[in-house]
Amino acid sequence: MIRHIVMWDFKDELTHQDKLEAAQKMKDSLEKLKDEVSGVIELEVIIQSLATSNADLMLYSSFESEKHLEIYQNHPKHRLAGQFISSVTVNRRCVDYMI
């Protein structure tokens, strides 16, 4: 099994309201992929982090295999979500590992 964790920060120029709306859009678009892409075991987007956090939001997901992670990353709906995410975020950090 593969764990895939991604963290982002919002662009500074976004207003507080813009960030709230963008976070919800990211959550909605990514979490629905769990039921649309084969091999996704779990997928959750955390949008309400504590003040002690050093990232604005996080994707926490698990996949059956590296191949399934690749399928997810290349899925048209993931790519579409990624275009939006890139337009509102900076400092993407990712860790993938086998569990």
Side-chain angles (χ1 to χ4, degrees):
M1 185 167 27
I2 301 298
R3 180 79 26 92
H4 174 65
I5 299 172
V6 183
M7 292 179 281
W8 301 268
D9 295 316
F10 285 115
K11 291 183 176 179
D12 288 338
E13 62 265 23
L14 296 178
T15 66
H16 177 71
Q17 186 62 35
D18 290 339
K19 291 176 183 180
L20 291 175
E21 292 171 7
Q24 191 61 55
K25 183 173 180 177
M26 290 171 66
K27 182 175 180 68
D28 293 344
S29 63
L30 290 172
E31 287 185 352
K32 71 181 175 184
L33 292 174
K34 181 179 187 295
D35 298 324
E36 298 182 21
V37 180
S38 67
V40 179
I41 297 169
E42 62 182 321
L43 193 150
E44 180 181 11
V45 177
I46 309 301
I47 61 174
Q48 296 180 349
S49 56
L50 298 176
T52 54
S53 301
N54 62 7
D56 290 328
L57 50 130
M58 179 183 85
L59 166 68
Y60 179 87
S61 56
S62 300
F63 297 85
E64 291 178 16
S65 68
E66 286 184 74
K67 182 65 177 170
H68 288 100
L69 173 59
E70 182 181 335
I71 290 168
Y72 162 80
Q73 291 173 324
N74 290 300
H75 191 279
K77 289 185 179 179
H78 177 267
R79 289 184 176 268
L80 185 61
Q83 289 175 355
F84 172 73
I85 292 166
S86 294
S87 76
V88 295
T89 63
V90 293
N91 302 325
R92 180 185 181 274
R93 293 158 321 272
C94 176
V95 175
D96 297 326
Y97 61 95
M98 193 172 295
I99 56 174

